[in-house]
Amino acid sequence: MNLSLLPPNANQLVQTLRPGQKEISQWEGGLLAVSAVPGAGKSHGMAVGAAIAIAREKLHQQRQLLVVTYSRSAAANIKARIRKYLRQMGLPRNGFSVQTLHSLALKIATSHPMVALRWNGENLISEHEQQRLCAACVKEWARSHPQLLEQLIQGCDTSPLSDVEHDGRRSALLTDILVKLAQTVIRSARSMALTPNDLRQLSQELRAQNPAEPEPYPFLEIGADLLELYQHHLAQRGQIDYDEMILAAVQLLEGDRQCREEWQQRVYAVFEDEAQDSTPLQSRLLQLLAEDSTTGQVNFVRVGDPNQAINSTFTAADPLFFNEFCDKCAQKQAFYTMTQAGRSTPLVIRAANFLVRWGNHILKHQELPFRNQAIQVVSPTDPQPGANPDPWGKGVEVARPATVFETVRELAARISQVLADHPEASIAVLVRINRQGEFIADLLRSPSSFNIDTDLAAQGIPILDVSGIERRSQVPKELLDILYFLHCPYSPEAVKAALTVLQERKRIPPQNLDRLAAQPEVFLYPGPLDPPAEEPVLKARHYCQRLLKARLELSLFPLITYCAQELNYDAAELATTDRLICHLAQQEPTQLWERIHPHWQELVAADRFDAVEMEDLHSRLVRSGQVTIMTMHRAKGLDWDAVFIPFLEARTLPGESWVAANAKFLNPEVDFTEVVRWQLRAYGHQKQLPDWRTAYQKAKEAKTAEEYRLLYVAMTRAKRFLWLAAAHQAPFNWQSFDWRGFSQLQESDPCPFLPCLEQKLKKHAEVTPGDR
């Protein structure tokens, strides 16, 4: 690259770049793949590379560099960086556009006059409304396929079912199992542009592969039926979803040459961030835009980290697609790694690298969890300040407490010590599931109730449980489910929805909700001949009866407030409830359920109600002097001075694949939704569809691999100190763990990686004594 042709300050920007970052700034066209380790500064590298390309090509409003990312916050961040670097070079702050993938797809779809009427942001279906539509499609399918539904209800049992068992299984299928199947098929099929007929063809191929032992249930065909119903109702309503938006944009560009060339003339090149989370359909869309309409050259730069791919077990994304792109670019000498990272102290980096090597070795007989790339410390002459900070204490510590209660006790003491030594430290406690975060927050806020010596609150250390704040956006839906039950108490659907809210809010004990909802009359008001109920059922019944009694005594708006208090809402959630009541009163001043219910349903379906936040959440997540408790998934993209990762028992991570209790009648050892998802994944990689046993085994292996990538993400959030712990005794099931009641713990093995890391740290301590 000839810097003499660029503005004078361009050279200063290039001098701030590390290897991997610099290659992006030197790119002058064609394909380029960059695999960036955590903390490597890919946003800085992409932004400088974008600014250099804009300056070199003299881009402007009519011909732009397109930067695509997957979240609004990331888009805002990289846009601000590019504008800053253009300003430093004395250039106009245009010539580029930063878009989220979905906003880009919507813009393309609405650009065509023939489809713009339907494709607009106002009719975009929300996640909640999509789930309700899937449930409606399942019910419609069940009405037209009664014999197949009965086959599913019978499951793998050969003996006749009682009425209670039959109704419970029917409820589980219609409200949970088949709804999840519909969502999985819709997401996976659309990411590969598969039609319902394509799915039926795949089902026929499966039968032909092994006619002697066919699939036990025709779930691919059922998925095809559900996809067809979903697409029909979506079109009938004049609505779209995110997947259809991307599919429509691709079909428009592929099918309309004039439209495609117009877009290609506007776009000089495409830079894609977080490419490891892209699906084949999303990649196809960006490649179409990146193609030069005159030469056919594809100007496409993709930056990501397959080792941080942590969404593939519940979305259509798959790190293999980005790995394949990297390998393709490597053959053309257009693949680089961004391996120097200045975020963490060297020992944290060594621990993360050890996880990569260990994971690939221990799982070598299956799909490897990690790309073989190591994080490196930056060079001593690194131009970016504050890189690879000094460690606090040992830098990395492993604890093996006796129980999960002792885990929190040791965690509290260690946090107190860290903040005593470093009052301005930012601290995170990262957990696998929200339930674990609730447990920690409860114990830290009530230390005397659990014999915890360290009282963080008394020391003035605030505790932020992020999961509690995230639930506020669910307030309108939760209250709607409760109120709908109070007005339709004999509807199985209404009963299950209300019980689900009560169970998630810890107001009733965990139990089989399908069994209760299948016969509402027996559950709510049993007769003298009905069998006696167990204690969890009695508690749920009394709670529901109390709510039903309140409905007889209160008008609608006071009843909503009463229900919010019964759900134990916090101050922000109660304020959100008040805002909801004011909104409903403006829409319909009468307190008549029949009139308000449609407005409320529309409000929840639109998913645009703003919850009350006491202050900006994002700015609070990494605040100094505070303990932030959140899931490992949510922590991606953030970092803290000290990171604590408790509960690394094997049952938590990598965990065990298990079948939900309400689905065991289909097969006690196989989750058929995962089977279908993996079969479609195999099709996406142009492989033969595996039979149901092989598919489920592959799905379990993929889950294990992703769990270790999730641990890698969590470990690499730490700058100066990393604390990991696994208790000798832990709950068998965290979701049903009642730590304030009778808490039964079981002997638990640690995550297999932890003892190996412990041995590695001991060897390191022997070689390098003292503080590191």
Side-chain angles (χ1 to χ4, degrees), residues 681-724:
R681 181 185 190 267
Y683 173 84
H685 289 289
Q686 300 178 340
K687 297 179 181 178
Q688 185 181 38
L689 267 66
D691 63 69
W692 61 283
R693 288 191 179 90
T694 304
Y696 192 55
Q697 179 59 34
K698 292 292 186 182
K700 291 192 293 184
E701 292 175 0
K703 179 184 181 300
T704 298
E706 184 157 304
E707 290 296 320
Y708 284 124
R709 289 197 295 271
L710 185 61
L711 177 59
Y712 177 79
V713 168
M715 291 171 62
T716 53
R717 302 307 97 193
K719 295 179 183 178
R720 298 173 178 272
F721 180 74
L722 175 64
W723 187 89
L724 307 104

Side-chain angles (χ1 to χ4, degrees), residues 435 478 482 498-511 536 538-544 546-547 562-569:
R435 184 68 169 161
E478 288 180 344
I482 295 293
L499 289 174
T500 300
V501 173
L502 295 174
Q503 186 168 282
E504 289 177 349
R505 285 287 179 167
K506 315 301 182 295
R507 312 314 292 162
I508 62 174
Q511 54 199 291
L538 289 175
K539 289 183 178 180
R541 178 183 296 157
H542 294 157
Y543 210 101
C544 290
R546 188 162 72 246
L547 291 173
Y562 173 81
C563 291
Q565 293 169 340
E566 282 292 302
L567 290 174
N568 200 29
Y569 279 176

Side-chain angles (χ1 to χ4, degrees), residues 266-284:
R266 297 182 210 173
V267 176
Y268 161 68
V270 175
F271 280 22
E272 181 189 13
D273 190 17
E274 300 291 355
Q276 77 277 357
D277 292 327
S278 184
T279 68
L281 192 66
Q282 293 166 355
S283 300
R284 177 61 183 154

Side-chain angles (χ1 to χ4, degrees), residues 27-209:
W27 171 84
E28 295 185 3
L31 298 179
L32 175 65
V34 178
S35 185
V37 301
K42 64 181 176 62
S43 295
H44 175 64
M46 284 187 69
V48 172
I52 295 292
I54 294 165
R56 184 187 66 242
E57 300 296 327
K58 298 180 172 55
L59 301 179
H60 45 79
Q61 285 294 102
Q62 282 68 46
R63 186 158 176 77
Q64 297 183 328
L65 176 72
L66 177 62
V67 181
V68 178
T69 187
Y70 290 85
S71 70
R72 285 189 296 242
S73 59
N77 175 41
I78 199 165
K79 181 177 182 179
R81 287 173 180 263
I82 295 173
R83 290 174 64 88
K84 173 186 174 182
Y85 301 144
L86 289 174
R87 184 171 61 250
Q88 289 179 10
M89 289 189 289
L91 296 175
R93 280 151 336 255
N94 56 26
F96 74 99
S97 175
V98 182
Q99 303 278 337
T100 64
L101 185 75
H102 293 114
S103 65
L104 172 65
L106 180 62
K107 187 174 293 186
I108 293 170
T110 55
S111 67
H112 197 285
M114 297 300 294
V115 295
L117 185 62
R118 183 182 175 210
W119 299 97
N120 63 76
E122 296 300 318
N123 57 5
L124 181 63
I125 193 170
S126 71
E127 183 180 344
H128 297 313
E129 193 174 10
Q130 185 184 48
Q131 184 173 357
R132 289 177 182 272
L133 179 56
C134 287
C137 292
V138 166
K139 290 179 180 177
E140 185 175 341
W141 176 88
R143 287 193 296 269
S144 58
H145 296 78
Q147 292 182 337
L148 186 48
L149 178 63
E150 286 300 319
Q151 178 188 337
L152 295 178
I153 291 172
Q154 186 65 37
C156 59
D157 291 332
T158 56
S159 56
L161 304 176
S162 67
D163 291 343
V164 173
E165 195 65 35
H166 182 280
D167 292 345
R169 292 182 180 187
R170 188 178 191 278
S171 173
L173 283 164
L174 298 187
T175 62
D176 187 17
I177 300 169
L178 292 181
V179 175
K180 289 178 180 175
L181 175 70
Q183 292 173 311
T184 298
V185 169
I186 289 166
R187 188 184 303 122
S188 299
R190 290 191 166 206
S191 72
M192 292 175 278
L194 288 170
T195 67
N197 287 334
D198 292 331
L199 293 179
R200 295 187 180 100
Q201 179 64 35
L202 292 177
S203 182
Q204 292 173 10
E205 291 176 12
L206 263 179
R207 283 200 297 270
Q209 284 174 205

Side-chain angles (χ1 to χ4, degrees), residues 337-548:
T337 55
M338 200 182 290
T339 57
Q340 290 189 10
R343 171 189 293 162
S344 304
T345 191
L347 191 55
V348 170
I349 289 176
R350 292 192 194 106
N353 288 339
F354 179 61
L355 174 57
V356 171
R357 296 193 304 273
W358 177 90
N360 282 348
H361 173 73
I362 206 72
L363 303 175
K364 59 186 175 183
H365 297 301
Q366 61 186 64
E367 186 180 295
L368 296 183
F370 296 104
R371 190 174 185 92
N372 190 20
Q373 61 184 27
I375 310 173
Q376 299 174 342
V377 298
V378 302
S379 66
T381 58
D382 185 73
Q384 298 174 29
N388 302 125
D390 294 331
W392 290 343
K394 296 180 181 179
V396 179
E397 295 179 4
V398 175
R400 295 297 311 281
T403 68
V404 290
F405 293 93
E406 289 295 323
T407 299
V408 180
R409 182 176 311 187
E410 292 187 25
L411 180 146
R414 198 67 185 90
I415 288 175
S416 177
Q417 184 179 352
V418 167
L419 286 175
D421 296 338
H422 310 281
E424 297 303 313
S426 58
I427 291 180
V429 180
L430 304 182
V431 293
R432 179 61 187 84
I433 57 174
N434 282 325
R435 184 68 169 161
Q436 294 171 335
E438 294 167 15
F439 170 70
I440 294 172
D442 190 19
L443 267 62
L444 292 183
R445 288 167 178 159
S446 307
S448 59
S449 301
F450 299 95
N451 299 318
I452 295 177
D453 303 327
T454 307
D455 190 338
L456 297 181
Q459 298 175 24
I461 300 171
I463 299 167
L464 176 66
D465 178 13
V466 176
S467 67
I469 295 177
E470 288 175 332
R471 284 196 299 266
R472 288 175 194 159
S473 62
Q474 297 297 312
V475 166
K477 182 182 183 301
E478 288 180 344
L479 290 173
L480 177 61
D481 286 341
I482 295 293
L483 268 294
Y484 182 63
F485 157 69
L486 296 183
H487 288 83
C488 305
Y490 297 120
S491 162
E493 180 184 357
V495 172
K496 183 176 179 181
L499 289 174
T500 300
V501 173
L502 295 174
Q503 186 168 282
E504 289 177 349
R505 285 287 179 167
K506 315 301 182 295
R507 312 314 292 162
I508 62 174
Q511 54 199 291
N512 187 337
L513 303 184
D514 289 302
R515 185 184 291 271
L516 303 186
Q519 295 182 304
E521 299 91 341
V522 175
F523 163 58
L524 291 170
Y525 300 106
L529 299 181
D530 291 313
E534 298 176 350
E535 185 64 24
V537 177
L538 289 175
K539 289 183 178 180
R541 178 183 296 157
H542 294 157
Y543 210 101
C544 290
Q545 288 175 344
R546 188 162 72 246
L547 291 173
L548 288 167

